[in-house]
Amino acid sequence: MLMTATLWDGRYITLSNSSIAENSAGASVGTLSATDSDSGDTATFSIVTDNSGIFEISDTTLKLKSGLSTNYEGISSYNVTLRVTDSAAASYDEVMTVTVTNVSEAATDMALSANSIAENSQGAMVGTLSSSGDPDSGDSASYSMVTDSSGLFEISGAVLKLKSASAADYEQAANLFASERFKRPV
């Protein structure tokens, strides 16, 4: 979104973009430009107020400082007071709002409600999968099998179970291994 503020004598300060994706360390927000009714004037941009301390101007680009990023779940917008100064030392300050956009983040942990089954029980349910640590509230997870060396397991929704025609035999394999992973639709 293009943000423009009118200066008192027909000059303008423009920020080419006013949003930034969260978790993008050092990313550029947008390019600053100015129009001055006095032909031949050059414009210099500076930050007057940035209470967060995370923004800087590099040449004519408003950006996050190196190594710093935003977090939508913490703060979804920032007000930054920018100053444009022309070659005659006339200046104008304008508050620009930088909006943080949410990025879908993966959960950081997964649990299985149970991890044992009775032998010789075809299609038996092992347990229910659940995920946690997802900073995006309200997201749902989907699960898929990554590894199943035995070929006995499947995931149905959030349930880990033996395939319908499969049964575990204790004497053949006391410790079967299946690795699950979860993913969230984008």
Side-chain angles (χ1 to χ4, degrees):
M1 179 175 131
L2 189 67
M3 293 181 67
T4 303
T6 304
L7 284 93
W8 66 93
D9 67 353
R11 290 177 284 174
Y12 298 91
I13 182 172
T14 302
L15 179 59
S16 65
N17 181 46
S18 62
S19 65
I20 190 164
E22 70 174 328
N23 306 325
S24 301
S28 296
V29 176
T31 303
L32 295 163
S33 60
T35 303
D36 191 335
S37 60
D38 300 327
S39 64
D41 273 354
T42 58
T44 303
F45 300 96
S46 59
I47 295 175
V48 177
T49 306
D50 170 19
N51 292 334
S52 67
I54 64 173
F55 295 98
E56 66 182 0
I57 295 175
S58 176
D59 295 321
T60 59
T61 301
L62 178 65
K63 62 184 289 295
L64 295 172
K65 291 179 181 176
S66 179
L68 298 181
S69 63
T70 58
N71 180 6
Y72 176 84
E73 290 78 21
I75 300 174
S76 60
S77 67
Y78 294 87
N79 290 327
V80 181
T81 304
L82 303 175
R83 176 174 289 158
V84 60
T85 305
D86 68 15
S87 53
S91 64
Y92 175 75
D93 296 352
E94 180 68 25
V95 177
M96 297 286 188
T97 300
V98 176
T99 304
V100 179
T101 57
N102 194 20
V103 173
S104 184
E105 297 156 301
T108 57
D109 197 17
M110 181 173 50
L112 182 60
S113 65
N115 63 1
S116 64
I117 51 173
E119 75 173 319
N120 302 322
S121 299
Q122 288 187 336
M125 178 179 141
V126 177
T128 302
L129 297 161
S130 62
S131 59
S132 62
D134 186 347
D136 300 315
S137 64
D139 280 353
S140 61
S142 64
Y143 303 90
S144 62
M145 188 73 65
V146 175
T147 309
D148 175 12
S149 58
S150 68
L152 298 174
F153 297 97
E154 67 183 359
I155 295 175
S156 177
V159 175
L160 177 64
K161 62 181 224 156
L162 288 170
K163 292 180 180 174
S164 59
S166 299
D169 182 358
Y170 180 81
E171 288 77 22
Q172 286 189 349
N175 291 308
L176 298 173
F177 175 74
S179 173
E180 315 83 27
R181 75 172 169 193
F182 52 91
K183 64 181 179 179
R184 184 171 4 156
V186 179

